[in-house]
Amino acid sequence: MRSLIILLLSSLSALATLAVRPFLESSFLVAGEVTTLTLETPYELSQSPTFPTSELYTITPSQNLITRSASKQQVAHYRFQVSSLYPGTHTIPSIPIQIGNRTFNTAPLEFYVAPSSSLSFNTVQIGIHSVTYGAAVFLPDRDLYQGETVPAEVKVYLPYMPEQMIVIEQGLAELKRDGLSAWRFQPTEHRYNKVSTFLLPTGPSYALTFKSAAHPITTGSVTLGAGNVRPVFRTLSRTPQGQITTADLPIYLPVDQISRTALPLPSGAPASFDGAVGQFDLDVSLTDSEQRAPSDPLSLRIEISGTGNLDKLSVPQLDTERWKLYPATKTEREAERRFTNGSVEFTQLLRPLDEQEEFIPAIEFSYFDPQTQLYVTKRSEPIRINGTTPAQPE
């Protein structure tokens, strides 16, 4: 197995975010709440990853799961429990992961901790129970940039009453959008019997979480919400005849609006900038390094990985006019659009206009980094046409 992994990895030029992708079950927590951090990889690791300790949050191992998808591909999930008592923005750093004879670094993850006072509390009748719940719509607690993709969540905090009331279906969250575009909010996996409860002013509680990704489509004030979620509760209910029975009740739970300020991107963008906002890496390689006839087109694989508006990215262009370019294809992320981190891949067919060309020239890709508020340019190395040996820089 180990030799097979090494053989597979030696033929790949994929980046770390493809080999190991980290994601949080929820990126927005109330102080004391617990969420799950998952490292997803197609490879079974020889040892479980470890994270550095922090005074601001705790990370403890939870469970490791090795499963196979419908396509028979192996998927390994290494899970950890994350919690914090300190409100603010926290960053889980990148960690090295050893797979075969290569080391990959995970992408860092941000999560946000809010005091319970940031929740709005309402009371609703669910069967025979009068239930007080907390709710909030979450976006990063800062100004956003037009075109920037950020995590967005709707969370509902319910009293922990397993003997009297349980959620059997989370349903969906429906929210208004003004100046923001967001994918449909999807519920995370609801493992009621495994939920770690925590204290709110209303008592022990657990959370229903609905995840999406949002980006401002204009500048100025932008809003998300108001709206509602509609879980289905199994609880005791009173019939019209006055009898007490068990019933499954869909209940609308309103949530409030949240607003942010969207800023325009600053001037001074490089010529290769085409709307990418976030933090990215660039990887370029030939899909076939075998010998070829001079008139044959080449297939170039261009991968951009990182955190940001991955679904809005366009294929980076060659910095030369000595090539005929064919329309590029892009791998769609589908359900992964709800994640702000990951990768997109372009396949670019191209043919040199001069059969004496020996190298595919460098590809340039620029993006705006919201954290540093600077434009960044990444440049690939030239690639030898017959083989993947890069040209030596002048």
Side-chain angles (χ1 to χ4, degrees), residues 274 304 310 312-317 330 346 365:
D274 195 24
I304 300 172
L310 289 161
K312 303 297 180 181
L313 301 185
S314 302
V315 60
Q317 296 298 311
K330 179 180 180 181
F346 300 92
F365 169 70

mmCIF file with all atom_site columns, all heavy atoms in Angstrom, residues 274 304 310 312-317 330 346 365:
data_model
loop_
_atom_site.group_PDB
_atom_site.id
_atom_site.type_symbol
_atom_site.label_atom_id
_atom_site.label_alt_id
_atom_site.label_comp_id
_atom_site.label_asym_id
_atom_site.label_entity_id
_atom_site.label_seq_id
_atom_site.pdbx_PDB_ins_code
_atom_site.Cartn_x
_atom_site.Cartn_y
_atom_site.Cartn_z
_atom_site.occupancy
_atom_site.B_iso_or_equiv
_atom_site.pdbx_formal_charge
_atom_site.auth_seq_id
_atom_site.auth_comp_id
_atom_site.auth_asym_id
_atom_site.auth_atom_id
_atom_site.pdbx_PDB_model_num
ATOM 1   N N   . ASP A 1 274 ? -7.856  39.458 -12.879 1.00 0.00 ? 274 ASP A N   1
ATOM 2   C CA  . ASP A 1 274 ? -9.136  39.235 -13.538 1.00 0.00 ? 274 ASP A CA  1
ATOM 3   C C   . ASP A 1 274 ? -10.235 38.935 -12.520 1.00 0.00 ? 274 ASP A C   1
ATOM 4   O O   . ASP A 1 274 ? -11.098 38.102 -12.756 1.00 0.00 ? 274 ASP A O   1
ATOM 5   C CB  . ASP A 1 274 ? -9.016  38.093 -14.548 1.00 0.00 ? 274 ASP A CB  1
ATOM 6   C CG  . ASP A 1 274 ? -10.192 38.045 -15.521 1.00 0.00 ? 274 ASP A CG  1
ATOM 7   O OD1 . ASP A 1 274 ? -10.846 39.096 -15.723 1.00 0.00 ? 274 ASP A OD1 1
ATOM 8   O OD2 . ASP A 1 274 ? -10.464 36.967 -16.078 1.00 0.00 ? 274 ASP A OD2 1
ATOM 9   N N   . ILE A 1 304 ? -5.667  26.202 -9.658  1.00 0.00 ? 304 ILE A N   1
ATOM 10  C CA  . ILE A 1 304 ? -5.612  27.286 -8.681  1.00 0.00 ? 304 ILE A CA  1
ATOM 11  C C   . ILE A 1 304 ? -6.289  26.779 -7.422  1.00 0.00 ? 304 ILE A C   1
ATOM 12  O O   . ILE A 1 304 ? -7.432  26.329 -7.459  1.00 0.00 ? 304 ILE A O   1
ATOM 13  C CB  . ILE A 1 304 ? -6.316  28.549 -9.207  1.00 0.00 ? 304 ILE A CB  1
ATOM 14  C CG1 . ILE A 1 304 ? -5.646  29.027 -10.496 1.00 0.00 ? 304 ILE A CG1 1
ATOM 15  C CG2 . ILE A 1 304 ? -6.276  29.653 -8.152  1.00 0.00 ? 304 ILE A CG2 1
ATOM 16  C CD1 . ILE A 1 304 ? -6.390  30.150 -11.182 1.00 0.00 ? 304 ILE A CD1 1
ATOM 17  N N   . LEU A 1 310 ? -13.267 31.024 -5.672  1.00 0.00 ? 310 LEU A N   1
ATOM 18  C CA  . LEU A 1 310 ? -12.800 30.007 -6.610  1.00 0.00 ? 310 LEU A CA  1
ATOM 19  C C   . LEU A 1 310 ? -13.749 29.827 -7.795  1.00 0.00 ? 310 LEU A C   1
ATOM 20  O O   . LEU A 1 310 ? -13.312 29.597 -8.925  1.00 0.00 ? 310 LEU A O   1
ATOM 21  C CB  . LEU A 1 310 ? -12.630 28.670 -5.881  1.00 0.00 ? 310 LEU A CB  1
ATOM 22  C CG  . LEU A 1 310 ? -11.453 28.595 -4.902  1.00 0.00 ? 310 LEU A CG  1
ATOM 23  C CD1 . LEU A 1 310 ? -11.664 27.444 -3.909  1.00 0.00 ? 310 LEU A CD1 1
ATOM 24  C CD2 . LEU A 1 310 ? -10.149 28.412 -5.651  1.00 0.00 ? 310 LEU A CD2 1
ATOM 25  N N   . LYS A 1 312 ? -15.496 31.957 -9.311  1.00 0.00 ? 312 LYS A N   1
ATOM 26  C CA  . LYS A 1 312 ? -15.531 33.107 -10.210 1.00 0.00 ? 312 LYS A CA  1
ATOM 27  C C   . LYS A 1 312 ? -14.251 33.251 -11.027 1.00 0.00 ? 312 LYS A C   1
ATOM 28  O O   . LYS A 1 312 ? -14.129 34.188 -11.826 1.00 0.00 ? 312 LYS A O   1
ATOM 29  C CB  . LYS A 1 312 ? -15.751 34.398 -9.401  1.00 0.00 ? 312 LYS A CB  1
ATOM 30  C CG  . LYS A 1 312 ? -17.013 34.398 -8.550  1.00 0.00 ? 312 LYS A CG  1
ATOM 31  C CD  . LYS A 1 312 ? -18.262 34.310 -9.414  1.00 0.00 ? 312 LYS A CD  1
ATOM 32  C CE  . LYS A 1 312 ? -19.523 34.310 -8.563  1.00 0.00 ? 312 LYS A CE  1
ATOM 33  N NZ  . LYS A 1 312 ? -20.738 34.190 -9.384  1.00 0.00 ? 312 LYS A NZ  1
ATOM 34  N N   . LEU A 1 313 ? -13.301 32.337 -10.853 1.00 0.00 ? 313 LEU A N   1
ATOM 35  C CA  . LEU A 1 313 ? -12.001 32.487 -11.496 1.00 0.00 ? 313 LEU A CA  1
ATOM 36  C C   . LEU A 1 313 ? -12.061 32.143 -12.972 1.00 0.00 ? 313 LEU A C   1
ATOM 37  O O   . LEU A 1 313 ? -12.771 31.222 -13.390 1.00 0.00 ? 313 LEU A O   1
ATOM 38  C CB  . LEU A 1 313 ? -10.963 31.600 -10.808 1.00 0.00 ? 313 LEU A CB  1
ATOM 39  C CG  . LEU A 1 313 ? -10.731 31.842 -9.313  1.00 0.00 ? 313 LEU A CG  1
ATOM 40  C CD1 . LEU A 1 313 ? -9.588  30.974 -8.817  1.00 0.00 ? 313 LEU A CD1 1
ATOM 41  C CD2 . LEU A 1 313 ? -10.460 33.309 -9.022  1.00 0.00 ? 313 LEU A CD2 1
ATOM 42  N N   . SER A 1 314 ? -11.282 32.895 -13.756 1.00 0.00 ? 314 SER A N   1
ATOM 43  C CA  . SER A 1 314 ? -11.114 32.625 -15.183 1.00 0.00 ? 314 SER A CA  1
ATOM 44  C C   . SER A 1 314 ? -9.740  32.027 -15.413 1.00 0.00 ? 314 SER A C   1
ATOM 45  O O   . SER A 1 314 ? -8.818  32.186 -14.605 1.00 0.00 ? 314 SER A O   1
ATOM 46  C CB  . SER A 1 314 ? -11.260 33.917 -15.989 1.00 0.00 ? 314 SER A CB  1
ATOM 47  O OG  . SER A 1 314 ? -12.522 34.522 -15.774 1.00 0.00 ? 314 SER A OG  1
ATOM 48  N N   . VAL A 1 315 ? -9.573  31.329 -16.533 1.00 0.00 ? 315 VAL A N   1
ATOM 49  C CA  . VAL A 1 315 ? -8.293  30.694 -16.822 1.00 0.00 ? 315 VAL A CA  1
ATOM 50  C C   . VAL A 1 315 ? -7.221  31.766 -17.021 1.00 0.00 ? 315 VAL A C   1
ATOM 51  O O   . VAL A 1 315 ? -7.417  32.735 -17.752 1.00 0.00 ? 315 VAL A O   1
ATOM 52  C CB  . VAL A 1 315 ? -8.414  29.789 -18.069 1.00 0.00 ? 315 VAL A CB  1
ATOM 53  C CG1 . VAL A 1 315 ? -8.841  30.573 -19.299 1.00 0.00 ? 315 VAL A CG1 1
ATOM 54  C CG2 . VAL A 1 315 ? -7.107  29.049 -18.306 1.00 0.00 ? 315 VAL A CG2 1
ATOM 55  N N   . PRO A 1 316 ? -6.078  31.646 -16.335 1.00 0.00 ? 316 PRO A N   1
ATOM 56  C CA  . PRO A 1 316 ? -4.982  32.590 -16.565 1.00 0.00 ? 316 PRO A CA  1
ATOM 57  C C   . PRO A 1 316 ? -4.447  32.450 -17.992 1.00 0.00 ? 316 PRO A C   1
ATOM 58  O O   . PRO A 1 316 ? -4.464  31.364 -18.579 1.00 0.00 ? 316 PRO A O   1
ATOM 59  C CB  . PRO A 1 316 ? -3.933  32.176 -15.534 1.00 0.00 ? 316 PRO A CB  1
ATOM 60  C CG  . PRO A 1 316 ? -4.664  31.347 -14.532 1.00 0.00 ? 316 PRO A CG  1
ATOM 61  C CD  . PRO A 1 316 ? -5.766  30.682 -15.281 1.00 0.00 ? 316 PRO A CD  1
ATOM 62  N N   . GLN A 1 317 ? -3.941  33.556 -18.528 1.00 0.00 ? 317 GLN A N   1
ATOM 63  C CA  . GLN A 1 317 ? -3.491  33.570 -19.913 1.00 0.00 ? 317 GLN A CA  1
ATOM 64  C C   . GLN A 1 317 ? -1.973  33.490 -20.002 1.00 0.00 ? 317 GLN A C   1
ATOM 65  O O   . GLN A 1 317 ? -1.244  33.942 -19.123 1.00 0.00 ? 317 GLN A O   1
ATOM 66  C CB  . GLN A 1 317 ? -3.976  34.843 -20.613 1.00 0.00 ? 317 GLN A CB  1
ATOM 67  C CG  . GLN A 1 317 ? -5.496  34.938 -20.710 1.00 0.00 ? 317 GLN A CG  1
ATOM 68  C CD  . GLN A 1 317 ? -6.097  33.807 -21.514 1.00 0.00 ? 317 GLN A CD  1
ATOM 69  O OE1 . GLN A 1 317 ? -5.650  33.500 -22.624 1.00 0.00 ? 317 GLN A OE1 1
ATOM 70  N NE2 . GLN A 1 317 ? -7.118  33.164 -20.955 1.00 0.00 ? 317 GLN A NE2 1
ATOM 71  N N   . LYS A 1 330 ? -13.175 24.118 -17.631 1.00 0.00 ? 330 LYS A N   1
ATOM 72  C CA  . LYS A 1 330 ? -13.021 24.319 -16.194 1.00 0.00 ? 330 LYS A CA  1
ATOM 73  C C   . LYS A 1 330 ? -13.784 23.230 -15.448 1.00 0.00 ? 330 LYS A C   1
ATOM 74  O O   . LYS A 1 330 ? -14.935 22.927 -15.784 1.00 0.00 ? 330 LYS A O   1
ATOM 75  C CB  . LYS A 1 330 ? -13.562 25.700 -15.797 1.00 0.00 ? 330 LYS A CB  1
ATOM 76  C CG  . LYS A 1 330 ? -13.471 26.016 -14.312 1.00 0.00 ? 330 LYS A CG  1
ATOM 77  C CD  . LYS A 1 330 ? -14.045 27.397 -14.039 1.00 0.00 ? 330 LYS A CD  1
ATOM 78  C CE  . LYS A 1 330 ? -13.986 27.758 -12.562 1.00 0.00 ? 330 LYS A CE  1
ATOM 79  N NZ  . LYS A 1 330 ? -14.566 29.106 -12.283 1.00 0.00 ? 330 LYS A NZ  1
ATOM 80  N N   . PHE A 1 346 ? -8.265  24.021 -14.684 1.00 0.00 ? 346 PHE A N   1
ATOM 81  C CA  . PHE A 1 346 ? -8.524  24.346 -16.081 1.00 0.00 ? 346 PHE A CA  1
ATOM 82  C C   . PHE A 1 346 ? -7.686  23.422 -16.958 1.00 0.00 ? 346 PHE A C   1
ATOM 83  O O   . PHE A 1 346 ? -6.540  23.096 -16.618 1.00 0.00 ? 346 PHE A O   1
ATOM 84  C CB  . PHE A 1 346 ? -8.150  25.799 -16.393 1.00 0.00 ? 346 PHE A CB  1
ATOM 85  C CG  . PHE A 1 346 ? -8.898  26.820 -15.583 1.00 0.00 ? 346 PHE A CG  1
ATOM 86  C CD1 . PHE A 1 346 ? -8.374  27.282 -14.380 1.00 0.00 ? 346 PHE A CD1 1
ATOM 87  C CD2 . PHE A 1 346 ? -10.112 27.313 -16.017 1.00 0.00 ? 346 PHE A CD2 1
ATOM 88  C CE1 . PHE A 1 346 ? -9.046  28.226 -13.633 1.00 0.00 ? 346 PHE A CE1 1
ATOM 89  C CE2 . PHE A 1 346 ? -10.803 28.255 -15.269 1.00 0.00 ? 346 PHE A CE2 1
ATOM 90  C CZ  . PHE A 1 346 ? -10.274 28.705 -14.079 1.00 0.00 ? 346 PHE A CZ  1
ATOM 91  N N   . PHE A 1 365 ? -0.729  34.795 -12.836 1.00 0.00 ? 365 PHE A N   1
ATOM 92  C CA  . PHE A 1 365 ? -2.046  34.854 -12.196 1.00 0.00 ? 365 PHE A CA  1
ATOM 93  C C   . PHE A 1 365 ? -1.967  35.831 -11.029 1.00 0.00 ? 365 PHE A C   1
ATOM 94  O O   . PHE A 1 365 ? -1.072  35.734 -10.186 1.00 0.00 ? 365 PHE A O   1
ATOM 95  C CB  . PHE A 1 365 ? -2.450  33.461 -11.697 1.00 0.00 ? 365 PHE A CB  1
ATOM 96  C CG  . PHE A 1 365 ? -3.654  33.449 -10.796 1.00 0.00 ? 365 PHE A CG  1
ATOM 97  C CD1 . PHE A 1 365 ? -4.920  33.721 -11.291 1.00 0.00 ? 365 PHE A CD1 1
ATOM 98  C CD2 . PHE A 1 365 ? -3.523  33.161 -9.443  1.00 0.00 ? 365 PHE A CD2 1
ATOM 99  C CE1 . PHE A 1 365 ? -6.026  33.717 -10.459 1.00 0.00 ? 365 PHE A CE1 1
ATOM 100 C CE2 . PHE A 1 365 ? -4.620  33.147 -8.602  1.00 0.00 ? 365 PHE A CE2 1
ATOM 101 C CZ  . PHE A 1 365 ? -5.880  33.425 -9.114  1.00 0.00 ? 365 PHE A CZ  1
#
